[in-house]
Amino acid sequence: MKFFIDTANLDQIREAQNLGVLDGVTTNPSLMAKEGITGRKNILQHYIDICDIVDGDVSAEVIAVDFEGMVNEGEELAALHSQIVVKLPMIKEGIKAAKYFSDKGIRTNVTLVFSAGQALLAAKAGATYVSPFIGRLDDISTDGLGLIAEIRQIYDNYGYETQILAASVRHTMHVIDCAKIGADVMTGPLSSIEGLLKHPLTDIGLAKFLEDYKKGN
Ligand code: E4P
């Protein structure tokens, strides 16, 4: 499973990249705003800065909600850097744009997906990634991981190549459960990745090894 980090914070992206297990980055307008990145010029530069840190795919979201606007913005984003993936909202115009970009060989990530039907449409439009938001579903007492399993089954039934990018991951158990189900990618905060490192028996065992070494040296 690929690990993407879900942030526009350059320090956190660097930290995840330095760990050696990072495969990409996802951003959205809220994450950019959280870092204080505003204005078209600054936003575009920030995407380039992120691409310069990581080796993998970087999702950059369009703001337009009409087909023509999405195409214009998406082409501008894709031209910024070879690692950019154009992120499109799961609306009618977004699906049309995903098909347009797919035909042109430009990679896309269809975002704000909350149902299996939406994921089926994204695959039919040739999206590179589909982003079901599991945390936001869990927030409203709906089974986010269940949606990942449904999409996995549908994509496997027909051999769709669209990659399931489990988004809105909130914690380490989401990461493990997504891996068990067979999501192709997960995107989450740095804490959800670093949480995988932790086990008290590892810490206790290491402390004992070091203590025993010191006794003999
Ligand atoms: C990533 O592509 C999504 O925009 C992100 O995972 C949403 O996460 P949130 O529900 O924590 O805002």
Side-chain angles (χ1 to χ4, degrees):
M1 182 167 68
K2 290 187 208 162
F3 280 11
F4 287 2
I5 188 167
D6 196 23
T7 184
N9 181 287
L10 299 184
D11 289 337
Q12 287 187 19
I13 293 169
R14 253 182 233 107
E15 199 161 337
Q17 174 69 20
N18 289 342
L19 193 57
V21 299
L22 190 67
D23 300 297
V25 177
T26 50
T27 63
N28 62 38
S30 305
L31 292 171
M32 293 296 261
K34 193 174 162 195
E35 298 308 316
I37 315 296
T38 54
R40 195 71 192 148
K41 202 169 154 233
N42 294 333
I43 289 172
L44 297 182
Q45 183 56 49
H46 202 72
Y47 287 136
I48 294 171
D49 293 345
I50 293 174
C51 290
D52 286 344
I53 297 172
V54 296
D55 296 326
D57 288 351
V58 175
S59 286
E61 190 159 340
V62 301
I63 303 300
V65 289
D66 62 298
F67 176 75
E68 205 174 300
M70 286 185 193
V71 165
N72 290 338
E73 255 190 75
E75 284 179 343
E76 185 183 28
L77 290 168
L80 278 181
H81 200 286
S82 60
Q83 287 166 238
I84 293 284
V85 174
V86 179
K87 206 173 178 193
L88 301 161
M90 177 61 231
I91 55 176
K92 197 188 254 187
E93 302 296 291
I95 288 299
K96 285 187 203 166
K99 175 74 174 107
Y100 171 88
F101 285 124
S102 162
D103 288 346
K104 287 194 80 177
I106 292 176
R107 290 170 309 136
T108 57
N109 173 358
V110 174
T111 190
L112 289 165
V113 165
F114 293 94
S115 77
Q118 291 178 326
L120 181 55
L121 267 180
K124 284 194 69 68
T128 313
Y129 297 102
V130 66
S131 288
F133 279 30
I134 62 175
R136 292 194 195 184
L137 281 170
D138 289 355
D139 288 346
I140 57 157
S141 310
T142 303
D143 184 9
L145 290 165
L147 175 59
I148 301 294
E150 274 187 274
I151 300 171
R152 181 74 282 155
Q153 185 188 342
I154 291 169
Y155 283 12
D156 288 351
N157 283 348
Y158 297 99
Y160 287 125
E161 286 177 11
T162 299
Q163 295 179 54
I164 303 172
L165 196 174
S168 189
V169 159
R170 299 275 164 79
H171 48 71
T172 301
M173 273 316 293
H174 270 157
V175 179
I176 295 166
D177 286 331
C178 283
K180 280 156 89 174
I181 294 166
D184 300 289
V185 191
M186 79 84 202
T187 191
L190 183 59
S191 58
S192 68
I193 298 173
E194 289 188 334
L196 296 166
L197 285 165
K198 293 176 189 150
H199 198 288
L201 290 179
T202 304
D203 299 336
I204 292 166
L206 181 61
K208 179 84 171 88
F209 285 158
L210 296 179
E211 189 188 311
D212 290 344
Y213 173 82
K214 270 186 213 151
K215 279 182 203 160
N217 289 279

